[in-house]
Amino acid sequence: MDKNFQNYLTTGEFAKIVGVTKHTLFHYDEIGVFSPELKGENEYRYYSVFQIEPFYVISALKELGMSLKEIKNYLDVRGPEKLIELFDKQEKEIDKKIKHLIAIKQLISQKSQATKSLFYMDTDKIILKEENKELLIITEALPSTDDRSLAVSYANHIKNCNRNNITAPYTTGQMISLNNIIKKNYITYSYFHTKISLNHNVVSETYSKAKGRYLIAYHTGYNTIDITYKKMLNFAKENNLKLGDYFFEDAILDELSVDGYENFVVKISIMIID
């Protein structure tokens, strides 16, 4: 081997260091994205150790969603100013992805904790429990109660959340007025709601679910939900409890954990007015 090449890395050595295959390096060289510093006889490729960091950056850009074509387009016009412009743009994209991942983590944690809670309680009982303050983004439901109107109302709420940059997966529930429950209108919802952080800036209507004591029951299956509502009203009457304006329905077990709509477990809660 020519002495000049002894200070360089072969394709195999470089590939092992940066964690890719030799085929990847061959491909990058062929399309002009990343080429060896030197080529010897028989087109053997040799890489400098100083090429390791640039390769890591290219790999990071690719991992962030840039195509090899886009990376090549940048490299064709590369320069300090262009590099700063590229990195500034990617930093903003990274911040968005971090925010999105945090939201996903919060949702997973929330659903996990809610599911675990069912193992430690008697879901057949009506309970009184202190609940923390929550801020909800709400979307008014259509007045009709058929399946189509419910689907449209749900879709409108999703659009509303998207308009307010609530784009990560999230849990959606329903609000139904006490008056409708008293009138036995069990699926005439007033609003669809989604919990958001207390400092989230939204342009749509929000509802502050106050901290306080709540009357809570759990019901399995939406089709017979009237049974639990009747029990809750009777419980409130027997115990001289004054109830708030809205019941809140939140699915604790849904199709992620149970098979069949009839097996969904719904948490129903309403604030007690002292």
Side-chain angles (χ1 to χ4, degrees):
M1 180 185 297
D2 193 302
K3 288 185 178 180
N4 291 334
F5 295 144
Q6 292 181 358
N7 296 325
Y8 291 85
L9 301 167
T10 64
T11 301
E13 291 171 332
F14 191 85
K16 187 174 182 180
I17 290 172
V18 298
V20 298
T21 65
K22 291 195 292 183
H23 176 75
T24 296
L25 293 177
F26 294 154
H27 179 59
Y28 282 15
D29 184 19
E30 288 169 0
I31 64 176
V33 168
F34 187 81
S35 297
E37 188 166 316
L38 295 173
K39 287 186 179 180
E41 297 177 1
N42 300 320
E43 291 298 303
Y44 286 147
R45 296 167 170 85
Y46 296 93
Y47 296 83
S48 165
V49 293
F50 298 109
Q51 289 185 280
I52 294 174
E53 184 175 336
F55 184 86
Y56 282 148
V57 173
I58 289 173
S59 296
L61 293 175
K62 187 172 181 292
E63 189 175 339
L64 288 171
M66 284 186 70
S67 67
L68 291 176
K69 182 178 179 180
E70 289 173 321
I71 295 172
K72 173 139 187 346
N73 288 341
Y74 160 72
L75 292 172
D76 288 342
V77 294
R78 76 187 80 178
E81 294 82 5
K82 293 287 184 181
L83 180 67
I84 292 171
E85 181 182 337
L86 174 65
F87 281 179
D88 285 347
K89 179 181 178 181
Q90 291 303 317
E91 273 196 82
K92 292 177 182 178
E93 290 299 317
I94 291 171
D95 288 339
K96 288 181 182 178
K97 290 182 179 181
I98 290 174
K99 185 177 180 181
H100 184 73
L101 288 172
I102 289 174
I104 293 175
K105 180 182 177 182
Q106 290 173 342
L107 172 67
I108 290 173
S109 177
Q110 174 189 334
K111 291 189 76 68
S112 177
Q113 291 301 320
T115 304
K116 289 176 183 176
S117 68
L118 292 179
F119 296 119
Y120 304 104
M121 66 175 65
D122 185 349
T123 55
D124 293 327
K125 289 185 177 180
I126 295 175
I127 62 174
L128 300 175
K129 183 183 177 184
E130 188 78 14
E131 297 265 273
N132 292 323
K133 178 181 178 180
E134 292 182 352
L135 183 63
L136 310 175
I137 180 172
I138 59 176
T139 306
E140 189 171 359
L142 297 178
S144 179
T145 60
D146 58 37
D147 289 342
R148 173 62 182 170
S149 67
L150 291 176
V152 172
S153 293
Y154 185 87
N156 288 340
H157 181 66
I158 299 301
K159 292 176 183 177
N160 190 18
C161 289
N162 290 338
R163 282 195 299 269
N164 286 277
N165 296 317
I166 305 169
T167 55
Y170 44 78
T171 300
T172 297
Q174 297 79 239
M175 294 168 60
I176 187 167
S177 71
L178 173 62
N179 287 335
N180 271 330
I181 295 301
I182 292 174
K183 295 176 183 178
K184 301 181 180 180
N185 297 325
Y186 300 109
I187 57 172
T188 307
Y189 297 117
S190 301
Y191 301 96
F192 282 79
H193 70 76
T194 293
K195 179 182 175 181
I196 58 177
S197 64
L198 296 177
N199 59 358
H200 193 108
N201 294 321
V202 296
V203 297
S204 298
E205 187 175 0
T206 58
Y207 182 92
S208 181
K209 186 179 177 184
K211 178 180 179 180
R213 282 199 309 156
Y214 282 77
L215 184 66
I216 298 174
Y218 293 86
H219 183 80
T220 301
Y222 274 105
N223 293 335
T224 57
I225 203 165
D226 59 298
I227 296 172
T228 298
Y229 273 119
K230 291 172 184 175
K231 288 180 180 179
M232 294 180 77
L233 291 180
N234 288 334
F235 183 95
K237 184 177 180 180
E238 292 168 0
N239 292 277
N240 297 314
L241 300 176
K242 183 180 179 182
L243 303 178
D245 295 330
Y246 293 101
F247 282 92
F248 299 85
E249 293 183 7
D250 296 280
I252 304 300
L253 298 186
D254 53 23
E255 61 184 9
L256 287 173
S257 52
V258 293
D259 183 19
Y261 194 66
E262 68 279 4
N263 294 314
F264 281 24
V265 175
V266 183
K267 175 185 175 183
I268 304 172
S269 62
I270 187 167
M271 190 174 188
I272 298 169
I273 309 299
D274 295 321

